[in-house]
Amino acid sequence: MNKNGKVATYIPILARADPDSWGVSVCTVDGQRHSIGDVKDPFTIQSVSKTLTYASILNDRGSEKVHEYIGYEPSGHSFNKIRLDVNGKPHNPMINTGAILACSLLKPEMDKRQRFNYVKNKFQNLAGGEFMRKNLGAFLSEKDNADQNFAIAYYMKANKCFPEGTILEEVLDLYFQLCAIDINCESGAVIAATLANGGVCPITDDHLLRSETVQDTLSLMFSCGMYDYSGQFAFKVGLPAKSGVSGCIILVVPKVMGVCLWSPPLDQWGNSCRGIEFCENFNEQFHFHNFDIGKEMTLRQRHTSRSKYQNKAMEVVKVLFGAFKGDVTAMRRYALQGVEMNQQDYDGRTALHVAAAEGHLNVVNFLLEECHVDFRLKDRWGYTPLEEAKRFGKKDIEELLEQMAGYEVET
Ligand code: GLU
């Protein structure tokens, strides 16, 4: 076990962290979960909040407006340095200058209570409603130990970085409050998975962020998310990630999964030692590096060399298997991907036949109400989904399909 690093000590809650705590949680874009270790223990989100704040303002105000105030270039300086870029703007939203400025762009028209609730709600939705709470103690300690952040904010004020009417104390309070939100590995993994899934939360299927928002957010996580190790991390791991001084890292494998790691001891750059080691080993195992073209090419080549029947067969199997398992989340995902939910296999069976025969009322409801599939299709033996429900004694489904058929006759 990697015992390197030291826990952050600038506030008591971080100084008290158990250096042996260690959790890894994974959530895939179709909502599969796997967690190991202390994945339910709370920790403050810290700088990972910068990612979510940035995504929120992008989503609310659009990239052009946001980048009138904040750049998108790595700074080459430590995260809390009092420095602006050549245009007199914060270099990027993943360091303190940019993140504090981002807070001034968050619903400035709201009063401070409403504003915090609005943002917290956004964060909570990105986490699929899973564990998240404000941590008053952490907020107060952040505020008590914030000379550097006050200095940054006043420096930016002197350089006219903020939009007109900005109330500096409120902006800083919001920044501290957002850093002081507690999450755990499980909820962090859902946040990362929502980003991996183009802004659609894999747990709730809520469409929370526009794809442009996600693209910009991941781009800056990729180039600036890991403090002064960002360049090396991009080189070695090749994936967007963001870390915080509580020892957490969210790692995004676009279109595949989100991962949240937590281990408090930090390296010289402020990244979790174990977290970094995990990311580097993970990559050796799975080759998710963005530019691992060798492996990707072979995959793609395999894909394009499949005949159209092979591709079709794989799709049918996927949909019918989801129905067989009663996995509504997977089914919804296929529907969102534009998969034809009415398709029949070589025996003429549809997902609705399978779900009816297996008695998965939730899938039947989803297929009928949200996908509007054709419930009259017959399989090669002449059975409709209604007859399947009857044959296998699935009463509730039989009634539902009978109602549908009856309604059709009446209208
Ligand atoms: N609350 C910390 C600060 O602004 C965030 C530190 C971090 O996670 O990078 O100094």
Side-chain angles (χ1 to χ4, degrees):
M1 180 71 85
N2 183 335
K3 294 268 183 196
N4 298 337
K6 290 205 168 44
V7 305
T9 50
Y10 74 98
I11 58 172
I13 189 169
L14 296 180
R16 280 199 308 269
D18 177 357
D20 290 329
S21 295
W22 175 219
V24 180
S25 209
V26 173
C27 176
T28 64
V29 292
D30 59 357
Q32 299 175 64
R33 315 289 295 267
H34 189 63
S35 290
I36 304 169
D38 304 315
V39 291
K40 290 199 188 291
D41 290 5
F43 50 81
T44 46
I45 189 169
Q46 292 294 351
S47 269
V48 173
S49 69
K50 293 178 166 88
T51 313
L52 311 187
T53 304
Y54 175 58
S56 302
I57 53 171
L58 278 182
N59 218 55
D60 288 350
R61 313 187 63 153
S63 189
E64 210 175 306
K65 185 84 206 155
V66 167
H67 289 292
E68 276 175 24
Y69 295 94
I70 310 173
Y72 32 77
E73 185 72 19
S75 71
H77 304 291
S78 73
F79 73 99
N80 61 2
K81 194 101 185 154
I82 307 180
R83 276 281 164 86
L84 297 171
D85 68 11
V86 286
N87 304 309
K89 301 185 206 175
H91 290 83
N92 69 68
M94 301 294 155
I95 54 175
N96 288 21
T97 46
I100 292 171
L101 205 131
C103 286
S104 75
L105 299 177
L106 264 172
K107 293 283 168 201
E109 68 280 10
M110 288 183 175
D111 73 42
K112 53 188 176 185
R113 242 193 86 237
Q114 272 181 324
R115 191 182 302 133
F116 174 71
N117 289 336
Y118 170 83
V119 188
K120 160 114 186 318
N121 233 346
K122 283 229 150 180
F123 288 13
Q124 184 101 52
N125 291 339
L126 293 170
E130 294 194 5
F131 178 78
M132 191 173 284
R133 68 177 180 204
K134 52 183 171 184
N135 183 332
L136 184 61
F139 161 66
L140 293 172
S141 326
E142 284 288 342
K143 196 171 171 170
D144 272 351
N145 291 282
D147 292 345
Q148 184 76 9
N149 285 326
F150 276 96
I152 287 174
Y154 278 102
Y155 180 71
M156 290 201 293
K157 185 177 174 202
N159 282 278
K160 308 217 174 332
C161 294
F162 291 104
E164 220 164 289
T166 297
I167 304 170
L168 212 56
E169 293 69 24
E170 283 190 12
V171 167
L172 280 165
D173 267 1
L174 181 60
Y175 173 75
F176 304 137
Q177 281 173 312
L178 296 180
C179 288
I181 286 175
D182 279 342
I183 59 167
N184 62 23
C185 284
E186 288 183 344
S187 53
V190 179
I191 293 173
T194 301
L195 292 170
N197 198 26
V200 177
C201 174
I203 302 304
T204 59
D205 271 337
D206 288 337
H207 199 157
L208 302 166
L209 301 172
R210 285 182 285 113
S211 54
E212 300 87 337
T213 295
V214 175
Q215 181 179 316
D216 291 353
T217 307
L218 294 181
S219 301
L220 289 187
M221 286 168 72
F222 186 76
S223 57
C224 316
M226 301 299 285
Y227 303 115
D228 292 349
Y229 192 70
S230 298
Q232 292 183 65
F233 191 87
F235 183 82
K236 291 187 189 166
V237 181
L239 291 171
K242 181 76 195 88
S243 75
V245 285
S246 52
C248 64
I249 298 178
I250 59 166
L251 177 72
V252 176
V253 186
K255 300 188 203 146
V256 181
M257 68 172 93
V259 184
C260 182
L261 311 158
W262 174 57
S263 163
L266 307 176
D267 61 20
Q268 66 193 102
W269 295 280
N271 295 311
S272 164
C273 292
R274 261 179 237 171
I276 293 284
E277 191 184 356
F278 178 96
C279 294
E280 293 176 1
N281 289 344
F282 175 72
N283 211 36
E284 256 169 43
Q285 287 279 324
F286 295 104
H287 302 283
F288 282 131
H289 192 298
N290 242 317
F291 308 116
D292 196 342
I293 292 166
K295 312 282 179 321
E296 255 216 36
M297 281 296 273
T298 47
L299 255 180
R300 225 180 279 151
Q301 279 159 358
R302 234 182 289 149
H303 198 75
T304 46
S305 66
R306 271 193 224 122
S307 75
K308 67 177 185 211
Y309 298 113
Q310 273 174 303
N311 282 330
K312 171 100 184 116
M314 284 178 63
E315 198 173 270
V316 170
V317 168
K318 200 165 75 171
V319 175
L320 267 58
F321 196 73
F324 174 70
K325 286 287 188 195
D327 189 345
V328 185
T329 310
M331 298 298 281
R332 187 166 284 131
R333 168 112 204 102
Y334 303 145
L336 286 169
Q337 284 169 346
V339 171
E340 168 57 54
M341 301 305 276
N342 250 324
Q343 59 188 303
Q344 295 175 281
D345 74 357
Y346 47 77
D347 283 331
R349 316 253 316 145
T350 63
L352 191 59
H353 281 93
V354 176
E358 293 300 321
H360 295 307
L361 182 60
N362 50 355
V363 174
V364 170
N365 269 324
F366 170 73
L367 289 168
L368 292 173
E369 284 169 20
E370 292 179 53
C371 306
H372 308 289
V373 296
D374 186 353
F375 56 88
R376 291 154 310 199
L377 291 176
K378 292 185 172 153
D379 65 15
R380 66 186 281 202
W381 300 278
Y383 294 122
T384 60
L386 170 59
E387 282 152 346
E388 286 296 277
K390 280 188 189 155
R391 268 170 14 109
F392 292 94
K394 310 296 178 193
K395 269 269 160 244
D396 43 357
I397 295 175
E398 181 186 329
E399 277 165 26
L400 178 70
L401 287 165
E402 225 143 35
Q403 254 175 26
M404 297 275 305
Y407 177 74
E408 213 187 32
V409 172
E410 279 166 30
T411 49

